[in-house]
Amino acid sequence: MALKVHQFPCLSDNYGFLALDEATGLAACIDTPEAGAILRELDKLGWKLALILNTHWHPDHAGGNAEVKAATGATVVGPGEVTRLTPLDRQVAGGDVVELGATRFEVIETGGHTLQHITYVDRADHIAFVGDTLFALGCGRLFEGDAAQMWESLQKLAALPDDTTVYCAHEYTAANARFALSVDDDPALKRRAEQIFAARERGEPTVPTTIGLEKATNPFLRAPRLAARVGAAGKPDYQAFGAVRAAKDVFKG
Ligand code: ZN
Ligand code: FE
């Protein structure tokens, strides 16, 4: 028995995720970008929602909590910062474990995009729900944290097994690929970018990704090797990362 993940588009560029613990038939919803879409998918699948797992407080991640909870009775779990927007039933932080039937989600602190952003890792199934920390060829903007905090968070994700399936919360990949090509000419990146542009042409999702693929091609994880390209030669790794992040913030693709 394992964890089965159902992914579907929400809002303009978010993804919604429902995860089923096959041993017990209990489901979790990771973030609540769009309550209507989440409730429709649950209905279609016939899954019973036990948990809402928030990664961070932003409205496109926790804004549907109240409506989904009212419709399903699910328990709302997330980092304390979510209460800035909407109530939680259970606050969690790094090292905590959230159980969904036989599935264990380990909470990893991955602050930077927001200060208390967390990632849920199912180590048995090699699955991670990373919210807005890591994207396919990208990473979250530093709205609240700094480059040092985000670099440390990304290193925690990079330390997961290469075959970990990474569910990122947005379809930003084509724009991320255009930026990546502007700072890196690695052949593996070029090949991946071509595949991404073709997939998006066909209207296909580029999420999920894997830790191995991101370690090989994501310019944010590869920042130390790209330091000279972004004016950070000889600087500590987190500063090279900060320089790549700053370059992306002003990139006009
Ligand atoms: Zn966000
Ligand atoms: Fe978001």
Side-chain angles (χ1 to χ4, degrees):
M1 289 300 200
L3 190 74
K4 184 173 173 182
V5 179
H6 174 66
Q7 174 180 320
F8 50 98
C10 289
L11 305 175
S12 61
D13 54 30
N14 281 76
Y15 284 119
F17 304 107
L18 290 169
L20 179 76
D21 174 60
E22 295 185 302
T24 59
L26 295 174
C29 146
I30 294 77
D31 287 331
T32 55
E34 193 180 343
I38 291 163
L39 296 174
R40 266 198 308 279
E41 296 297 317
L42 274 173
D43 199 44
K44 210 161 75 186
L45 297 162
W47 292 1
K48 182 183 163 17
L49 196 72
L51 292 176
I52 294 170
L53 302 177
N54 288 134
T55 60
H56 65 297
W57 73 271
H58 284 162
D60 64 315
H61 297 262
N65 282 11
E67 196 179 334
V68 174
K69 181 182 169 67
T72 61
T75 300
V76 186
V77 179
E81 65 174 25
V82 170
T83 61
R84 283 153 71 172
L85 184 77
T86 179
L88 286 173
D89 296 314
R90 179 181 168 197
Q91 281 191 27
V92 289
D96 287 343
V97 170
V98 183
E99 290 181 354
L100 173 74
T103 302
R104 290 166 53 88
F105 291 107
E106 196 178 303
V107 175
I108 298 182
E109 287 185 9
T110 51
H113 175 69
T114 61
L115 287 178
Q116 295 180 348
H117 191 300
I118 58 175
T119 288
Y120 295 92
V121 178
D122 167 7
R123 290 191 188 270
D125 297 302
H126 291 210
I127 287 172
F129 294 99
V130 300
D132 288 354
T133 298
L134 179 64
F135 294 123
L137 291 183
C139 78
R141 274 182 190 265
L142 303 182
F143 284 122
E144 297 178 8
D146 59 17
Q149 185 186 13
M150 188 59 137
W151 178 247
E152 195 188 324
S153 297
L154 292 172
Q155 293 314 109
K156 291 180 194 169
L157 297 181
L160 295 172
D162 280 357
D163 66 355
T164 303
T165 303
V166 177
Y167 290 96
C168 332
H170 290 270
E171 180 60 64
Y172 290 156
T173 317
N176 288 342
R178 287 191 288 277
F179 169 72
L181 291 169
S182 78
V183 290
D184 195 354
D185 51 17
D186 181 76
L189 169 65
K190 287 181 179 171
R191 285 194 299 274
R192 186 179 178 199
E194 287 315 313
Q195 289 166 2
I196 285 163
F197 297 139
R200 295 306 295 148
E201 259 327 284
R202 298 190 298 267
E204 294 169 10
T206 63
V207 172
T209 177
T210 66
I211 290 296
L213 194 51
E214 295 313 313
K215 272 161 56 182
T217 52
N218 185 311
F220 297 94
L221 296 180
R222 284 169 50 78
R225 297 198 217 190
L226 305 175
R229 295 286 296 266
V230 290
K235 299 269 181 62
D237 289 353
Y238 79 91
Q239 286 184 17
F241 162 74
V244 175
R245 186 59 260 179
K248 172 70 165 68
D249 290 342
V250 299
F251 179 71
K252 305 253 188 295

